[in-house]
Amino acid sequence: MKKFLTILGFSALAITLVGCGAKEKTFTCTLYKKDVINNYELTSTYKVYATGDVVDKVETTEFVKSDNALMIDYFEETLEKSYKSMNEAYGGYDNKITKEELELTSITTVDYNNMNIDQLVKDDSSMKSIVNDNNKITVEGIKNLYEQLGAECE
């Protein structure tokens, strides 16, 4: 009986750690853009964390470099406003921006488990293409979205 309880205990722990068999995975998408007219380079890296075919969170790093300080200021203001308004409307966003002279780095975590995706889909019907029947962001959907933006995913 003691041996059975020990095995049962380890089984319960294993199920908890594995998440009932759902496989956790990560992949990264990277986007690079050089705009010679506005004089900036942008590198965006999206690290996607998923359980099964559902996205749990995305960690985004956006790095902007320019010879024009006004362009860096523009990116800072735009990113701050965008992420703040998205967080206020739907939740799930955590953003930190650092700026050094002619460079800017924005690190954002989007936690889809703490986001009101129902409201997001209601407000933006194009989001329907990346969610499943339970309004969960799908791996295939988010990968397609990033690739449409020009990112390469691994």
Side-chain angles (χ1 to χ4, degrees), residues 8 14 22 29 42 50 67 74 83-84 105-106 128 143 145-146:
L8 183 62
C29 299
L42 168 66
D67 293 338
Y74 169 79
Y83 289 126
K84 182 179 179 188
T105 303
S106 171
K128 289 180 184 176
K143 197 172 191 180
L145 176 68
Y146 291 144

Side-chain angles (χ1 to χ4, degrees), residues 6-46:
T6 302
I7 292 170
L8 183 62
F10 280 115
S11 297
L13 179 62
I15 289 171
T16 302
L17 293 175
V18 173
C20 299
K23 186 176 179 183
E24 293 183 5
K25 59 183 166 185
T26 62
F27 65 91
T28 303
C29 299
T30 305
L31 172 68
Y32 174 79
K33 178 178 181 170
K34 183 173 185 173
D35 187 325
V36 293
I37 295 171
N38 293 305
N39 191 27
Y40 71 85
E41 291 180 55
L42 168 66
T43 303
S44 299
T45 304
Y46 311 97

Side-chain angles (χ1 to χ4, degrees), residues 65-88:
K65 187 176 176 182
S66 177
D67 293 338
N68 183 345
L70 293 176
M71 184 58 61
I72 298 297
D73 292 342
Y74 169 79
F75 270 96
E76 179 181 34
E77 182 180 328
T78 301
L79 289 169
E80 281 179 347
K81 283 182 181 178
S82 296
Y83 289 126
K84 182 179 179 188
S85 66
M86 291 295 286
N87 193 51
E88 288 172 354

Side-chain angles (χ1 to χ4, degrees), residues 18 48 51 59 63-64 77 86 89-90 95 107 114 129 139-140 145:
V18 173
V48 179
T51 304
E59 292 175 352
F63 177 75
V64 183
E77 182 180 328
M86 291 295 286
Y90 311 110
N95 175 253
I107 299 173
N114 290 317
S129 67
V139 169
E140 181 180 336
L145 176 68

Side-chain angles (χ1 to χ4, degrees), residues 96-120:
K96 182 177 180 176
I97 295 175
T98 55
K99 187 171 78 168
E100 294 180 22
E101 290 187 32
L102 301 174
E103 297 179 350
L104 176 138
T105 303
S106 171
I107 299 173
T108 307
T109 299
V110 182
D111 184 350
Y112 290 108
N113 294 319
N114 290 317
M115 181 182 285
N116 187 343
I117 296 175
D118 292 338
Q119 187 63 49
L120 178 63

